[in-house]
Amino acid sequence: TTQFLFGDDVLVFEDSNGWCWVQNERDGYVGYVVDTALDKRYDEPTHIVIAPRTFVYPGSDLKFPPTNALSMGSLVTIKGGEERRGTLYGILPSGEAVIAKHLVPIDEVTDDHVAVAET
């Protein structure tokens, strides 16, 4: 019923033997994660993933092998955009890319909550 999503803020209680005991600041969920799954955030998120699953590519081309997969609700920072062969990509600070139509600005609110739930 709960999970840690990419971009969630967490409070780290303990870091020991490659594992961190953390609390998700969004919903208060407490659990353990591998310490390599955590990273310091340098930029505030600008967009949220609205597709059930989207891939992160090493560049703006979906023919590249994905470097990561993000679930709906993940938070990302988009620094720009590029179009390649008719597909628009959002560019992450790392230079990696996500298909832009899988994202919406973080402050955009939908009127159709049922459609979101059905997704």
Side-chain angles (χ1 to χ4, degrees), residues 6-57:
F6 185 87
D8 279 350
D9 288 321
V10 297
L11 176 61
V12 178
F13 296 120
E14 181 181 8
D15 185 352
S16 178
N17 298 321
W19 288 91
C20 292
W21 182 34
V22 300
Q23 182 175 27
N24 190 328
E25 293 189 7
R26 176 176 41 87
D27 65 3
Y29 180 75
V30 176
Y32 286 88
V33 296
V34 176
D35 62 3
T36 56
L38 300 178
D39 199 4
K40 183 172 176 63
R41 180 182 313 185
Y42 295 99
D43 299 298
E44 284 300 309
T46 59
H47 289 73
I48 188 166
V49 175
I50 58 167
R53 168 90 63 201
T54 192
F55 294 106
V56 178
Y57 299 99

Side-chain angles (χ1 to χ4, degrees), residues 48-53 72-73 104 108-119:
I48 188 166
V49 175
I50 58 167
R53 168 90 63 201
M72 185 168 67
V104 294
E108 186 174 306
V109 178
T110 182
D111 293 331
D112 191 350
H113 301 290
V114 174
V116 173
E118 289 175 336
T119 301

